[in-house]
């Protein structure tokens, strides 16, 4: 397994715990130069130290950003582009669920901002680097929660209905991950860059514990049925590194196999509409 990723540069967001940390660690052990993005400076530095200890090489770096803010996404993308000459794999992994609706300082609903707009904008800002490093891969972590409801394009900000203690907004954001990936893969045809999306499984991490109260207790209780972060990271690692998926694009993966997503996710008109609205929300005018 060692040296499988030698010479490759990987950027992974939300990499200070859970499946993000495991994915970053294992890819570093394969020889990749790994750049982890975390919100906390202290946790990001600690993560870099942990990975350095087990990976056996010095090519592990940390970048700090609150990816729920598009200004921070732009800053961290600019920092990466200035510091690193190539990007072989981008893993969009950061995400969270919020029990109550709240908005970022930029006016976006928090779940939408962190779970979707972050993926959308970060990918766009790193796309030139990815295209110049081909064959390159974009891997986005979604969830089978995307199967809950069809996308409400008229209420992406969840102003009309936040839904089920945040689960509604979370499910919508995970469906956006899938639809974004399908549209992105279509736009990347012929470039040498691929885009795939995955369900990691129900993983035992600190997910949703940020909410405290009842939700934290519920998540703690049902975590006895969860798989380990090591198991949950397998599909992310597979999509980032395996020669079996070289050239494969526009697929939804679970347990390292391509499986069908929610049928509504394949609606190309809805994908294009989501893309256009997302461009407006993050302040982009030029399409891929």
């Amino acid at each position: 397994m060692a040296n499988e990723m030698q010479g490759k540069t990987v950027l992974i967001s939300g990499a200070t715990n859970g499946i993000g940390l495991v994915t970053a660690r294992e890819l570093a052990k394969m020889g990749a130069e790994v750049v982890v993005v975390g919100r906390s400076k202290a946790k990001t530095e600690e993560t870099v130290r942990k990975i350095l200890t087990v990976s056996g090489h010095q090519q592990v770096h940390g970048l700090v950003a609150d990816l729920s803010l598009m200004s921070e996404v732009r800053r961290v993308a600019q920092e990466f582009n200035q510091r690193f000459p190539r990007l072989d794999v981008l893993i969009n992994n950061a995400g969270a669920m919020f029990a109550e609706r709240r908005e970022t300082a930029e006016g976006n609903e928090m779940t939408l901002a962190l779970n979707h707009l972050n993926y959308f904008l970060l990918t766009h800002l790193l796309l030139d680097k990815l295209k110049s490093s081909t064959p390159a891969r974009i891997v986005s972590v979604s969830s089978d929660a995307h199967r809950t409801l069809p996308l409400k394009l008229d209420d992406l900000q969840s102003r009309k209905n936040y839904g089920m203690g945040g689960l509604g907004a979370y499910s919508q954001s995970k469906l956006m991950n899938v639809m974004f990936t399908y549209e992105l893969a279509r736009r990347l045809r012929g470039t040498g860059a691929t885009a795939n999306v995955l369900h990691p499984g129900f993983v035992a991490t600190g997910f949703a514990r940020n909410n405290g109260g009842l939700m934290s207790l519920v998540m703690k209780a049902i975590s006895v049925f969860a798989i380990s972060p090591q198991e949950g990271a397998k599909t992310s690692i597979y999509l980032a590194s395996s020669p079996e998926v070289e050239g494969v694009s526009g697929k939804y993966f679970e347990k390292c196999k391509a499986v069908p997503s929610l049928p509504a996710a394949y609606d190309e008109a809805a994908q294009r509409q989501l893309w256009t609205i997302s461009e407006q929300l993050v302040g982009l005018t030029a399409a891929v």
Side-chain angles (χ1 to χ4, degrees):
M1 182 178 290
N3 300 322
E4 281 183 39
M5 294 290 287
Q6 195 72 44
K8 306 277 190 185
T9 301
V10 178
L11 175 67
I12 175 167
S13 65
T16 58
N17 56 40
I19 65 171
L21 172 57
V22 174
T23 302
R25 184 188 69 208
E26 295 306 309
L27 291 174
K29 286 164 70 174
M30 292 180 189
E33 179 173 19
V34 172
V35 184
V36 301
V37 182
R39 186 178 61 179
S40 160
K41 185 174 186 292
K43 285 188 71 175
T44 302
E45 290 174 348
E46 180 186 0
T47 298
V48 169
R49 287 194 296 271
K50 284 180 180 177
I51 298 173
L52 284 170
T53 300
V54 300
S55 65
H57 68 81
Q58 297 301 307
Q59 298 300 305
V60 184
H61 317 273
L63 298 175
V64 179
D66 178 352
L67 296 176
S68 69
L69 297 173
M70 298 306 104
S71 59
E72 287 280 281
V73 175
R74 290 179 182 278
R75 180 188 58 75
V76 82
Q78 182 180 31
E79 185 175 350
F80 179 89
N81 282 326
Q82 289 173 345
R83 288 179 55 184
F84 299 93
R86 62 181 300 114
L87 178 57
D88 299 273
V89 183
L90 168 63
I91 304 178
N92 291 309
N93 174 78
M97 184 166 74
F98 303 93
E100 297 180 356
R101 187 186 185 280
R102 50 177 152 148
E103 294 186 356
T104 70
E106 296 171 336
N108 291 308
E109 189 275 314
M110 183 68 78
T111 317
L112 171 72
L114 179 60
N115 294 9
H116 168 63
L117 295 180
N118 155 43
Y119 282 25
F120 185 83
L121 182 57
L122 186 62
T123 300
H124 274 72
L125 297 176
L126 297 175
L127 211 49
D128 286 345
K129 189 79 73 175
L130 286 156
K131 288 178 179 178
S132 68
S133 307
T134 54
R137 305 181 185 191
I138 300 161
V139 178
S140 294
V141 178
S142 180
S143 166
D144 256 9
H146 86 272
R147 301 182 188 278
T148 307
L149 297 166
L151 188 61
K152 300 173 183 175
L153 283 163
D154 63 341
D155 191 29
L156 294 187
Q157 299 277 6
S158 300
R159 291 192 177 97
K160 298 176 184 176
N161 182 19
Y162 192 59
M164 299 178 287
L167 181 58
Y170 177 77
S171 300
Q172 290 279 285
S173 72
K174 296 292 100 180
L175 179 53
M176 291 180 221
N177 296 160
V178 179
M179 295 174 71
F180 161 59
T181 297
Y182 290 166
E183 179 68 15
L184 176 63
R186 200 160 40 248
R187 293 176 183 233
L188 289 175
R189 283 175 186 162
T191 66
T194 61
N196 292 293
V197 61
L198 68 104
H199 169 52
F202 177 45
V203 185
T205 66
F207 181 76
R209 306 270 180 92
N210 56 291
N211 294 285
L214 180 60
M215 181 174 289
S216 181
L217 291 173
V218 169
M219 294 304 293
K220 187 175 182 179
I222 65 176
S223 67
V224 296
F225 303 105
I227 61 176
S228 68
Q230 289 73 21
E231 190 69 23
K234 284 183 176 179
T235 304
S236 295
I237 296 166
Y238 174 77
L239 289 174
S241 64
S242 175
E244 294 178 3
V245 287
E246 186 70 53
V248 174
S249 193
K251 302 293 184 183
Y252 180 77
F253 282 80
E254 181 178 352
K255 296 180 179 178
C256 300
K257 294 186 182 301
V259 298
S261 64
L262 179 75
Y266 295 105
D267 184 335
E268 294 186 12
Q271 291 166 13
R272 289 192 293 270
Q273 192 173 351
L274 172 63
W275 189 282
T276 299
I277 295 170
S278 300
E279 283 181 329
Q280 294 168 352
L281 289 173
V282 302
L284 286 176
T285 54
V288 174

